[in-house]
Amino acid sequence: MANGQWYPPEWPDRIRALADGTLAPVPPKRAATVLLLKDTPAGPAVHMLRRRASMAFAGGAYAYPGGGVDPRDDDRLVRWAGPARAWWAERLGVDESGAQAVVCAAVRETYEEAGVLLAGPDAGSVVGDTTGDDWEADRAALVARELSFAEFLDRRGLVLRSDLLGAWTRWITPEFESRRYDTWFFVAALPAGQRTRNASTEADRTVWIRPGEAAAGYDRGELLMMPPTIATLRQLLPYDTAAGALAAAPARDMTPVLARARLVDDEIVLSWPGHDEFTKHVPTTGAAVDGAPGTGRETTAPSNAGGLA
């Protein structure tokens, strides 16, 4: 392939099935992922993990720490600092309980998969080293869902630092996919005193890499990525510091990125409006089905979420 875009081989058949009405879309699950940044002499670097090649979904692809929302985070008020839940609800396009759950997922998943915790004893501080055995026990309990995030914060006497996150973009998995996610992407800076580690069972390596270097590796076909991952890397290129990216986040458009799949004669045209580099023309076989231009049945589907199993 010309670049490192990950493309599931089953998509053509599933797109045709969705267009002819034999495939019913599954509801997307809520998820969050975090572009964790740190400054280097050459500019900001982003923390990425490589999914194990054995993974059924996007094996070998590079992604960011992230995962699904824990429904318990909708129901119980979490110790909170930073912008109010009402502010986050408006920013993320959900209700207040949903906003809390999505922000909690971003912070919890960063801790679970990278060992970095965006929380502190009060609204003006952040915890330091989180690598001790007692921290690891709590992290493992969170991963196993034996401990809710609210319970974890209460036990530790910590508040979630929502002000350390910046909502960046939102992508939703296509309707023709069997596993779908409605994913909010956030940016955050690595807190002083903390360090990342590969704590994810789904990753075989982690790297700190400058966005331009990662994008160049994708362009050469050396680094495998899904569209939202490479798109967000390119969006980071204008910023000279992690703080600069965080400062830019509140002004970013959070309208979900939607993919459009059209059946045109004997090929499928898959495109992401606003992201022309991802347009695919995929040959297929069989008789033409509704969904070709002029039939009024173009398939409009949300685009795939980044780095989520």
Side-chain angles (χ1 to χ4, degrees), residues 17-240:
L18 182 66
D20 66 21
T22 60
L23 176 68
V26 299
K29 298 178 180 180
R30 298 171 300 164
T33 190
V34 176
L35 286 68
L36 189 63
L37 305 171
K38 72 174 181 180
D39 290 323
T40 75
V46 62
H47 180 71
M48 303 190 76
L49 54 84
R50 185 177 65 187
R51 293 173 59 82
R52 295 185 184 278
S54 59
M55 298 294 292
F57 182 82
Y62 281 80
Y64 312 114
V69 165
D70 184 343
R72 292 176 294 182
D73 292 335
D74 288 278
D75 303 327
R76 180 174 174 180
L77 283 179
V78 172
R79 296 165 64 99
W80 191 271
R85 292 167 180 81
W87 184 92
W88 279 107
E90 181 176 359
R91 181 77 183 109
L92 301 180
V94 296
D95 60 22
E96 289 189 30
S97 63
Q100 173 180 278
V102 171
V103 172
C104 281
V107 175
R108 188 192 65 252
E109 290 289 338
T110 304
Y111 181 50
E112 289 181 6
E113 296 198 341
V116 170
L117 182 59
L118 304 176
D122 54 52
S125 61
V126 184
V127 296
D129 186 11
T130 62
T131 59
D133 290 343
D134 58 334
W135 285 102
E136 178 56 26
D138 279 350
R139 192 197 66 80
L142 286 169
V143 171
R145 297 297 182 261
E146 297 167 354
L147 184 67
S148 74
F149 197 59
E151 291 168 339
F152 167 71
L153 293 175
D154 286 347
R155 175 185 296 184
R156 291 280 176 178
L158 300 174
V159 295
L160 182 154
R161 290 287 306 277
S162 75
D163 55 313
L164 300 181
L165 287 168
W168 192 257
T169 190
R170 180 181 177 184
W171 291 62
I172 308 177
T173 313
E175 288 182 337
F176 48 81
E177 266 282 22
S178 59
R179 306 175 72 177
R180 302 187 61 221
Y181 297 91
D182 183 352
T183 305
W184 286 263
F185 287 70
F186 296 84
V187 291
L190 179 68
Q194 295 193 39
R195 54 191 174 92
T196 57
R197 56 196 175 92
N198 184 6
S200 173
T201 59
E202 297 180 354
D204 61 11
R205 77 176 293 217
T206 60
V207 296
W208 281 102
I209 187 168
R210 288 181 291 111
E213 182 182 352
Y218 168 90
D219 290 338
R220 292 191 299 267
E222 297 171 358
L223 300 183
L224 193 66
M225 299 178 201
M226 289 177 284
T229 308
I230 181 59
T232 48
L233 283 170
R234 297 201 199 283
Q235 290 162 358
L236 290 174
L237 293 178
Y239 303 102
D240 297 328

